Amino acid sequence: MAADHILVQRVLLILFVLSGVKLSESARIFTIINHCKETVWPGVFPGDNFNGGGFTLKSGQSLIFTAPVGFQGRIWGRTGCNFDKNGNGSCQTGDCGPSLKCSGTGKTPASLAEFTLASLDFYDVSLVDGFNVPISVTPINGKGNCSIAGCDGDLRQDCPKELAVKANGKVVACRSACDVFDTDEYCCRGNYGNPTTCQPTYYSKKFKQVCPTAYSYAYDDPTSIYTCSGTDYVIAFCSSRKRPVCTYHDHKLVCGGSNGLRSLLSNLWMIILGLTLIANLNIIF
């Protein structure tokens, strides 16, 4: 179902190209941060520019990657993983094959950050395939709408019991209604395969209430898909969308949100945040 969002992104991108708008075509910096109390194993597909598509982030750790214009893919968090010294193993949620490095897209349910990088970027956070961990996407130093996307609420705490995925008596993920009931209405297919007939349901409204800037069902586009030009991205797990973020651009520390550069010297909390990032990150170019 998440593939529908990529199709929407492609259509919108074609319209912008036809309009003749010239925007940024430089590489994008992706900073991936784990603010959860437990370890998260991010998955990326395709993972050529992201350490093979899988890695470990302990609580408070960060990794930085560079992705070229033309990248089109998704980033998600895996939880409850157990890998041996050779990187072989499995995860409770978001599993993407028998190894640390993902060989495909993640198993549902999983919260997804989706990207199409071009002269104008399209990005969103999708819960169409379910929810397993809070995730937000913050653009930094870009031009355009550049809004913060994502879900900083935790649907595991209020997941309808018929959608809940449990491990050791604890809810570890929340499935989508389409995944559970497999009906045309919930899956937006057949007679419901268009934005006129596919409308919000009881379950998608529950998702939207907790995560108002994330896709709750396949045609949730107006409030869920965003565009930005020439931006870098911070993908954060278990973080408030209002939380300040930092990344590196041209080997310089850049902090703030979608409104551009801010003066580090005039914001002590920015300095502290930047030093924390430096202390906990690895940079991969």
Side-chain angles (χ1 to χ4, degrees), residues 8 14 60 76 89 116 150 171 177 183 205 217 251 284:
V8 171
I14 291 172
W76 68 97
T116 296
V171 176
T183 65
K205 289 177 181 178
Y217 70 104
H251 303 287
I284 299 179

Side-chain angles (χ1 to χ4, degrees), residues 253-256 260-271:
L253 187 65
V254 179
C255 295
L261 296 173
R262 297 182 184 179
S263 172
L264 292 177
L265 294 178
S266 63
N267 294 280
L268 179 60
W269 59 269
M270 285 291 194
I271 297 176

Side-chain angles (χ1 to χ4, degrees), residues 199-211:
Q199 295 294 311
T201 66
Y202 165 79
Y203 295 106
S204 69
K205 289 177 181 178
K206 291 278 289 186
F207 280 35
K208 198 69 174 178
Q209 182 179 6
V210 178
C211 306

Side-chain angles (χ1 to χ4, degrees), residues 209-265:
Q209 182 179 6
V210 178
C211 306
T213 60
Y215 267 95
S216 60
Y217 70 104
Y219 291 103
D220 197 11
D221 301 300
T223 60
S224 309
I225 192 167
Y226 301 96
T227 60
C228 195
S229 173
T231 185
D232 297 327
Y233 294 100
V234 176
I235 297 90
F237 298 105
C238 302
S239 176
S240 168
R241 291 185 296 114
K242 296 181 180 180
R243 184 170 184 164
V245 293
C246 288
T247 188
Y248 278 91
H249 186 93
D250 292 335
H251 303 287
K252 296 179 181 179
L253 187 65
V254 179
C255 295
S258 58
N259 293 326
L261 296 173
R262 297 182 184 179
S263 172
L264 292 177
L265 294 178

Side-chain angles (χ1 to χ4, degrees), residues 1-281:
M1 293 303 299
D4 293 338
H5 307 158
I6 299 298
L7 178 60
V8 171
Q9 291 174 352
R10 286 176 176 173
V11 172
L12 292 174
L13 180 59
I14 291 172
L15 293 176
F16 273 98
V17 171
L18 292 177
S19 72
V21 177
K22 293 190 67 177
L23 298 171
S24 175
E25 297 184 359
S26 60
R28 313 292 193 248
I29 305 300
F30 281 74
T31 302
I32 304 178
I33 305 174
N34 179 20
H35 288 302
C36 302
K37 295 180 180 179
E38 63 276 352
T39 299
V40 172
W41 292 261
V44 186
F45 187 82
D48 294 344
N49 300 102
F50 294 84
N51 197 31
F55 43 92
T56 303
L57 282 183
K58 295 181 179 179
S59 180
Q61 286 188 330
S62 306
L63 277 173
I64 292 182
F65 303 91
T66 300
V69 171
F71 171 78
Q72 182 174 307
R74 56 180 60 181
I75 300 172
W76 68 97
R78 292 172 288 174
T79 64
C81 302
N82 186 11
F83 295 107
D84 62 24
K85 62 180 180 180
N86 296 317
N88 299 315
S90 61
C91 303
Q92 288 179 343
T93 71
D95 219 2
C96 56
S99 65
L100 176 63
K101 299 183 185 302
C102 292
S103 57
T105 57
K107 182 180 178 181
T108 62
S111 318
L112 304 175
E114 300 174 313
F115 298 89
T116 296
L117 305 185
S119 56
L120 180 70
D121 294 351
F122 291 84
Y123 60 97
D124 65 80
V125 167
S126 173
L127 308 181
V128 174
D129 289 337
F131 174 96
N132 70 330
V133 66
I135 183 173
S136 62
V137 177
T138 302
I140 292 183
N141 199 34
K143 297 179 181 179
N145 182 14
C146 301
S147 297
I148 299 173
C151 179
D152 49 13
D154 195 340
L155 276 160
R156 293 171 295 186
Q157 298 176 2
D158 191 29
C159 180
K161 62 180 181 181
E162 58 270 33
L163 307 185
V165 177
K166 293 185 177 182
N168 301 318
K170 179 182 178 181
V171 176
V172 296
C174 195
R175 298 170 68 186
S176 70
C178 173
D179 196 23
V180 173
F181 303 113
D182 193 26
T183 65
D184 289 353
E185 179 183 5
Y186 288 131
C187 297
C188 292
R189 67 191 181 205
N191 291 332
Y192 294 89
N194 63 76
T196 300
T197 57
C198 183
Q199 295 294 311
T201 66
Y202 165 79
Y203 295 106
S204 69
K205 289 177 181 178
K206 291 278 289 186
F207 280 35
K208 198 69 174 178
Q209 182 179 6
V210 178
C211 306
T213 60
Y215 267 95
S216 60
Y217 70 104
Y219 291 103
D220 197 11
D221 301 300
T223 60
S224 309
I225 192 167
Y226 301 96
T227 60
C228 195
S229 173
T231 185
D232 297 327
Y233 294 100
V234 176
I235 297 90
F237 298 105
C238 302
S239 176
S240 168
R241 291 185 296 114
K242 296 181 180 180
R243 184 170 184 164
V245 293
C246 288
T247 188
Y248 278 91
H249 186 93
D250 292 335
H251 303 287
K252 296 179 181 179
L253 187 65
V254 179
C255 295
S258 58
N259 293 326
L261 296 173
R262 297 182 184 179
S263 172
L264 292 177
L265 294 178
S266 63
N267 294 280
L268 179 60
W269 59 269
M270 285 291 194
I271 297 176
I272 296 172
L273 184 64
L275 292 175
T276 301
L277 179 66
I278 293 171
N280 288 289
L281 63 78

